[in-house]
């Protein structure tokens, strides 16, 4: 059984891919979704990750570099 946060994160990753009409959800979609997961966010912050930079870079990457996934 998945935790509630993990299940929500997986749904968010699929929603990010779906909103962009991507054929697949990738690790980048999952990482973007993890930025909004409270458990993962705590780990990222403890490791010194600049979450806003990560979010912006991932969004830009997904929107530009993954255009070949649009169906």
């Amino acid at each position: 059984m998945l935790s509630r946060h993990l299940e929500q994160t997986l749904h968010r990753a699929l929603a990010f891919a779906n909103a962009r009409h991507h054929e697949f959800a990738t690790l980048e979609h999952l990482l973007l979704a993890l930025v909004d997961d409270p458990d993962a966010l705590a780990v990222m912050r403890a490791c010194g990750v600049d979450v806003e930079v990560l979010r912006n870079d991932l969004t830009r990457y997904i929107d530009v570099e993954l255009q070949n996934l649009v169906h």
Side-chain angles (χ1 to χ4, degrees):
M1 179 180 250
L2 299 176
S3 75
R4 183 175 52 87
H5 287 160
L6 179 56
E7 187 174 343
Q8 291 170 344
T9 296
L10 293 173
H11 284 285
R12 250 190 329 277
L14 293 172
F16 288 149
N18 188 45
R20 290 167 172 82
H21 304 287
H22 288 169
E23 186 174 0
F24 306 106
T26 66
L27 292 175
E28 291 84 5
H29 294 102
L30 179 57
L31 183 55
L32 184 58
L34 283 168
V35 170
D36 293 322
D37 180 287
D39 299 324
L41 186 58
V43 172
M44 288 182 209
R45 287 192 173 138
C47 292
V49 173
D50 186 331
V51 178
E52 288 310 311
V53 169
L54 178 61
R55 182 191 320 272
N56 291 337
D57 287 351
L58 277 169
T59 301
R60 186 173 27 258
Y61 180 85
I62 289 169
D63 289 342
V64 174
E65 300 297 327
L66 297 183
Q67 281 297 312
N68 60 331
L69 296 181
V70 174
H71 65 94

